[in-house]
Amino acid sequence: MDPSRPVATHVAVRDGKILAVGGANCADAWGPVARDDSLAHAVLMPGLVEGHAHMMAGAMWEFAYAGYHDRIDPQGHLHKGMTDIGAVVARLREYSATLPEGQPLIAWGFDPIFLPTERLNRHHLDQIASDRPVVVMFSNFHLLCANSIALEMAGYSRDTNVEGVVKGVDGEPTGELQEMAAMFPVMRRTGVDFRGLSQKESAIRAYGDVCKHAGVTTVTDLFSEMQDEDLGALLAVTSDPGFALRIVPVLGAIGAAPQDIAKRAVALRGNSTDKLRLGAVKLMTDGSIQGWTARVKWPGYVGGQPNGIWNTPPALIHELCAAMQEHGVQMHIHVNGDEASSVTLDALEAAGRAHPWLGARHVLQHCQMMGPDQFRRCAEMGVCTNIFSNHIWFFGDQHAALTIGEDRATRMDAARSALDAGVHLAIHSDAPVTSMGPLFTAWCAVNRQTMSGRTLGAEQRITVDEALYAITLGAAYTLKLDAEIGSIETGKIADFAVLGADPTEVDPMALKDVPVLGTVSGGRVNLI
């Protein structure tokens, strides 16, 4: 990723930083050297940077997996996917028998868009257990389904008038709950605690294991409550010299007045360390396209579903953007639908006029339906985009057929349009929504292949070099860390991905299959 020296055979490391790059004698001018050829069989590239993931990616495995796709847990165990509701019910009924009496059964990873049957409902979950709460989180974490006991615990009934509580033709709740306002009462009563999942020492270390297997040396936790005790746990774990990961937790911009959130972010910034970077915030605008809760422009969803749910109303988006801009707080903003990205760009533009700030590097996250006009606005305003390229493989066929139609699906996750408009680009997995693996994410952006094997929008493909940049320096730029990581250059931190093949030399269709052998973090080798 250094255009002045794109390839080298040796790298010298001192005090955890890169001292020199070049040939076998590149560091001789600095005095005696210790030569180490233990990685001579491997290929080093800059440590991969995952700019949109969540710390619960490791801890979610404390719950039952109920997804369609095969997944591998942090210990390397394979969990087979389930392709019909009957299989999900059977698997979770077996799991229920292992739990203590009365303990809630929590599962995750389910997505009804893959199953050509009726939608999962409380009657299915009542078959799993009628004597304990059962909650199944959908893979996008914007929806869940609850059994009758869990609904009763939250007080949900035919008389409930809460947006996101789905009801059937009989007027009774089906069990499906959409977005946080509807989900949270059930989650709180059944112990689905994302903060608790992600802030235990075991969860933080499990996150490190997930990242090491993916070649990731710097990762985000892109919606953190970041209470005082959470900060203490993160400082303790990341200060361990053997913990091979830099974490960038981003404060969730909810639960307080915009000005108070901004001041909290500024205060957190002062606690940053070499391996823990604080001070940014995350805004939630709309929901999930495959859950039909994203806010999309006309003509809406092809199935005629209502136009999504605002997790943060537009007026509050404007207030939050103004407050963060005023206090110099970088924003990462969730935008799936193109109406959400339009409202957000308007809010950022207004905030920029009121409080000019060069180099803010605010980042739109997901950006799945943004078109060339919106990317041009981003370029004009200096706004970065972190695009959810994994969606092309996991959901591309379903988007073309069921959510936004063929023509809009072919330009989803439009990395080519972003680069052509001059926008700073990163690409991501949103783990645990999809599996963390930046080389797989790069493969998705390069090939745009769906699960059925078709190429969805060939015109939006990017090159291998562009994709590798997006998962290293591109992602580092969105985190304001490009002066320290993202390339193998003298003076930068000695963070590397250790690979079993050169990703620039394999067939582009084999990019996702390049073996990850481990990482180097601050000069310390951590092989799998």
Side-chain angles (χ1 to χ4, degrees), residues 359-382:
R361 297 193 198 179
H362 301 310
V363 188
L364 300 189
Q365 297 283 347
H366 300 326
C367 316
Q368 294 210 74
M369 293 184 66
M370 287 176 61
D373 60 318
Q374 294 186 338
F375 288 120
R376 287 191 291 269
R377 287 190 71 187
C378 287
E380 291 168 357
M381 297 162 57

Side-chain angles (χ1 to χ4, degrees), residues 22 34 168-169 173 284 340 363 381 431 441 456 463 467 528:
V169 294
M284 289 291 296
V363 188
M381 297 162 57
T441 301
L456 185 66
T463 68
I528 296 171

Side-chain angles (χ1 to χ4, degrees), residues 247-293:
I247 303 179
V248 184
V250 177
L251 179 68
I254 58 170
Q259 290 286 335
D260 292 338
I261 295 170
K263 292 173 183 176
R264 171 68 172 157
V266 171
L268 284 169
R269 186 185 301 157
N271 294 283
S272 293
T273 68
D274 180 47
K275 288 163 63 177
L276 184 67
R277 297 302 174 91
L278 302 159
V281 301
K282 166 79 174 293
L283 278 64
M284 289 291 296
T285 62
D286 64 341
S288 158
I289 301 172
Q290 70 270 27
W292 293 282
T293 59

Side-chain angles (χ1 to χ4, degrees), residues 102-451:
Q103 179 177 317
L105 188 162
I106 311 299
W108 67 282
F110 180 83
D111 201 310
I113 204 166
F114 295 113
L115 309 182
T117 60
E118 63 177 329
R119 282 181 79 84
L120 188 71
N121 59 55
R122 61 184 172 90
H123 302 297
H124 297 124
L125 302 193
D126 288 343
Q127 296 174 38
I128 296 169
S130 58
D131 59 346
R132 71 172 80 241
V134 178
V135 175
V136 177
M137 297 292 304
F138 288 13
S139 66
N140 52 44
F141 293 91
H142 287 265
L143 297 89
L144 64 77
C145 191
N147 72 344
S148 297
I149 289 180
L151 293 173
E152 291 168 5
M153 290 171 66
Y156 286 154
S157 69
R158 66 183 301 115
D159 299 322
T160 299
N161 184 24
V162 174
E163 185 179 28
V165 177
V166 178
K167 296 180 180 178
V169 294
D170 60 356
E172 297 289 341
T174 67
E176 183 171 322
L177 306 176
Q178 301 177 344
E179 300 302 333
M180 289 306 299
M183 293 162 56
F184 183 71
V186 165
M187 293 167 59
R188 181 165 62 86
R189 289 167 173 82
T190 57
V192 184
D193 177 11
F194 289 156
R195 170 180 165 262
L197 276 176
S198 60
Q199 297 302 328
K200 295 182 296 185
E201 179 177 348
S202 60
I204 301 169
R205 293 191 180 278
Y207 201 35
D209 291 337
V210 170
C211 291
K212 181 173 69 173
H213 281 80
V216 170
T217 55
T218 299
V219 70
T220 53
D221 180 21
L222 212 70
F223 199 87
S224 175
E225 290 188 34
M226 196 47 62
Q227 298 182 13
D228 290 343
E229 56 267 36
D230 303 335
L231 177 59
L234 279 165
L235 287 168
V237 174
T238 56
S239 65
D240 177 357
F243 185 72
L245 186 65
R246 300 176 204 285
I247 303 179
V248 184
V250 177
L251 179 68
I254 58 170
Q259 290 286 335
D260 292 338
I261 295 170
K263 292 173 183 176
R264 171 68 172 157
V266 171
L268 284 169
R269 186 185 301 157
N271 294 283
S272 293
T273 68
D274 180 47
K275 288 163 63 177
L276 184 67
R277 297 302 174 91
L278 302 159
V281 301
K282 166 79 174 293
L283 278 64
M284 289 291 296
T285 62
D286 64 341
S288 158
I289 301 172
Q290 70 270 27
W292 293 282
T293 59
R295 296 290 304 194
V296 301
K297 290 183 176 181
W298 186 92
Y301 292 108
V302 295
Q305 291 87 355
N307 186 17
I309 294 174
W310 288 110
N311 280 299
T312 305
L316 184 53
I317 294 171
H318 277 257
E319 290 180 33
L320 285 163
C321 287
M324 302 309 138
Q325 182 86 4
E326 179 184 0
H327 289 273
V329 175
Q330 186 196 28
M331 289 175 274
H332 295 260
I333 308 177
H334 165 114
V335 290
N336 264 322
D338 47 2
E339 182 185 10
S341 48
S342 180
V343 167
T344 300
L345 286 168
D346 288 346
L348 289 174
E349 185 174 359
R353 285 196 300 268
H355 309 285
W357 176 17
L358 291 175
R361 297 193 198 179
H362 301 310
V363 188
L364 300 189
Q365 297 283 347
H366 300 326
C367 316
Q368 294 210 74
M369 293 184 66
M370 287 176 61
D373 60 318
Q374 294 186 338
F375 288 120
R376 287 191 291 269
R377 287 190 71 187
C378 287
E380 291 168 357
M381 297 162 57
V383 172
C384 308
T385 59
N386 192 349
I387 290 178
F388 200 173
S389 293
N390 282 22
H391 242 256
I392 300 161
W393 164 260
F394 283 99
F395 297 100
D397 293 321
Q398 284 68 34
H399 287 315
L402 301 173
T403 66
I404 58 174
E406 179 74 18
D407 57 333
R408 286 182 292 174
T410 59
R411 66 165 175 80
M412 286 188 75
D413 302 296
R416 176 81 273 146
S417 290
L419 288 176
D420 288 350
V423 176
H424 286 279
L425 172 73
I427 52 181
H428 68 267
S429 69
D430 197 11
V433 175
T434 68
S435 302
M436 187 185 296
L439 290 173
F440 174 79
T441 301
W443 176 87
C444 290
V446 167
N447 297 287
R448 294 186 64 90
Q449 189 175 94
T450 70
M451 285 172 51

